[in-house]
Amino acid sequence: MKTWQGEDTHRPPSSPTMPWPLLPLLLLLLLLLAASGAQTTRPCFPGCQCEVETFGLFDSFSLTRVDCSGLGPHIVPVPIPLDTAHLDLSSNRLETVNESVLAGPGYTTLSGLDLSHNLLTSLSPTAFSRLRYLESLDLSHNGLAALPAESFTSSPLSDVNLSHNRLREVSVSAFATHSQGRALHLDLSHNLLHRLLPHSSQAGRPAPTIQSLNLAWNRLRAMPDLRGLPLRYLSLDGNPLAAIGPGTFEGLAGLTHLSLGNLQGLPRLAPHGFHELQGLQVLDLSSNPRLQWAGPEVFSGLGSLQELDLSGTGLVPLPEKLLVHLPALQSISVGQGVQCRRLVREGTYPRQPGFTPKVALHCIDTQELGARGSNTL
């Protein structure tokens, strides 16, 4: 039957269609869900927990994180899934780790291993020899007193944590990893180090690619020989360094961050002591109450320095000629909550021939400002 407009009233209603502008948004949402990792649990060795992270379109790729912490020394060797990326064996009272403990299906593809908070006093030279993809290794909070010479040569490590052990002497060459140029972040803080042996080129291996080195809270009385390392960050906080003078930082021109806070004993800064650090951007000398001025020439050569922390030191008041030696300096911390910033006074216009802008430090007590309700300097 036709209506007066000629329309067929018996035709079935058409199915609803999605407005075309919403289609790209829906497709984008599906792609984001497919790309992000979704976590699920899976059957695991008794006492352990296995979390699976899936990636890719239709969850085509998965990695497993296995947590076997706090179960006791009987846990090793523990079987793990073939796609395990990270294994946590911390807090198990383990007394030894050798090649047999870290062997079997799933271990060869590990990228992260946590052995912290155990009772390890030594390592087998071949303990990690089969972990050809290991990038992160945590051995902190153990009782390690020595490191075998080639402990890490088989793995492409980029992060090694050896803090809170009992290491007294370590060779830099021990960290010549199979990294193929990848930067290594090394934490040796809170040990008993009184000596750090320099890398020996006679070993036939290139120098370790250590870019970040934490030597805080050890027993170093002199600056260790770190020449040949591509260091960018170095912390020597809490060490009993006796003096810092010319040549102390020889070979570390690429260093950008240096921390010398809480130095034990009576540290002495000699003129031109930082002269080799021409690329240094941040220098922390905080919490050294007995540190005294030896003249503004102490900071000569630091042409790239932007931040200087002198809070908790005896280096106040600041000498007038300080900024002459620090042309790039932007801020100085000189006390608890006291921040000084570089201020350039341009003078009047038009400028007179030969005019040089005046540069000074403008200091503000940020705590006092906060009490007044101000959020800006």
Side-chain angles (χ1 to χ4, degrees):
M1 180 178 65
K2 300 285 186 181
T3 65
W4 67 275
Q5 291 178 327
E7 185 178 1
D8 188 355
T9 58
H10 296 285
R11 186 176 62 187
S14 59
S15 58
T17 59
M18 180 177 293
W20 71 268
L22 295 180
L23 287 175
L25 294 177
L26 180 60
L27 291 174
L28 178 60
L29 179 61
L30 290 174
L31 289 174
L32 290 175
L33 290 175
S36 62
Q39 290 189 352
T40 59
T41 58
R42 68 185 300 176
C44 205
F45 188 79
C48 301
Q49 294 182 350
C50 294
E51 290 187 355
V52 182
E53 292 183 342
T54 55
F55 306 86
L57 194 62
F58 307 116
D59 297 337
S60 58
F61 179 64
S62 66
L63 293 173
T64 301
R65 298 179 63 89
V66 180
D67 185 351
C68 295
S69 60
L71 300 179
H74 67 278
I75 193 67
V76 294
V78 57
I80 57 178
L82 292 176
D83 61 351
T84 302
H86 186 275
L87 175 61
D88 188 346
L89 292 174
S90 64
S91 304
N92 280 316
R93 302 191 302 278
L94 299 178
E95 296 182 1
T96 181
V97 171
N98 52 40
E99 190 175 355
S100 62
V101 170
L102 303 174
Y107 283 86
T108 55
T109 57
L110 276 180
S111 63
L113 177 62
D114 189 345
L115 290 166
S116 65
H117 294 274
N118 279 292
L119 304 176
L120 302 176
T121 57
S122 62
L123 293 174
S124 166
T126 59
F128 310 109
S129 60
R130 297 186 181 182
L131 308 184
R132 301 304 178 98
Y133 297 95
L134 191 65
E135 298 179 2
S136 176
L137 177 61
D138 192 344
L139 288 163
S140 63
H141 294 274
N142 278 283
L144 295 173
L147 290 177
E150 299 183 356
S151 300
F152 312 116
T153 55
S154 300
S155 305
L157 288 163
S158 60
D159 192 345
V160 178
N161 189 349
L162 283 159
S163 65
H164 296 275
N165 276 278
R166 302 189 63 80
L167 298 170
R168 295 180 178 273
E169 184 176 284
V170 172
S171 173
V172 173
S173 299
F175 304 100
T177 65
H178 188 62
S179 62
Q180 298 178 343
R182 179 184 301 177
L184 175 62
H185 303 279
L186 177 59
D187 190 345
L188 288 168
S189 63
H190 295 275
N191 275 275
L192 305 174
L193 290 173
H194 62 88
R195 188 180 180 191
L196 200 65
L197 301 177
H199 174 70
S200 174
S201 58
Q202 297 178 354
R205 296 192 304 269
T209 56
I210 302 174
Q211 189 174 96
S212 173
L213 179 58
N214 189 350
L215 293 171
W217 298 102
N218 278 282
R219 299 181 178 181
L220 298 169
R221 294 187 175 276
M223 175 69 186
D225 186 353
L226 301 174
R227 286 175 293 182
L229 300 181
L231 276 180
R232 305 279 288 176
Y233 171 88
L234 175 62
S235 175
L236 290 162
D237 293 351
N239 280 279
L241 294 180
I244 294 175
T248 298
F249 300 101
E250 184 178 352
L252 298 180
L255 202 65
T256 59
H257 289 67
L258 175 61
S259 187
L260 297 169
N262 285 283
L263 296 179
Q264 305 300 302
L266 183 60
R268 180 171 55 87
L269 297 181
H272 311 285
F274 300 103
H275 189 73
E276 294 87 1
L277 303 179
Q278 300 177 7
L280 196 69
Q281 299 176 17
V282 178
L283 176 59
D284 186 350
L285 290 167
S286 63
S287 302
N288 287 299
R290 290 187 289 178
L291 200 62
Q292 302 293 328
W293 280 115
E297 293 81 8
V298 165
F299 298 109
S300 65
L302 295 177
S304 301
L305 193 70
Q306 300 178 24
E307 299 179 24
L308 177 60
D309 192 345
L310 300 178
S311 57
T313 71
L315 307 183
V316 287
L318 301 176
E320 296 181 358
K321 296 183 178 180
L322 178 63
L323 293 179
V324 175
H325 299 282
L326 301 174
L329 190 68
Q330 297 299 316
S331 67
I332 305 180
S333 297
V334 294
Q336 188 174 3
V338 179
Q339 190 78 18
C340 300
R341 296 190 179 276
R342 187 185 190 89
L343 182 65
V344 179
R345 296 186 175 92
E346 297 289 348
T348 58
Y349 289 89
R351 294 178 181 172
Q352 299 297 322
F355 172 78
T356 301
K358 294 183 178 180
V359 181
L361 288 173
H362 180 56
C363 299
I364 297 178
D365 190 333
T366 57
Q367 291 184 345
E368 182 179 343
L369 282 179
R372 296 176 182 174
S374 175
N375 294 321
T376 57
L377 291 180

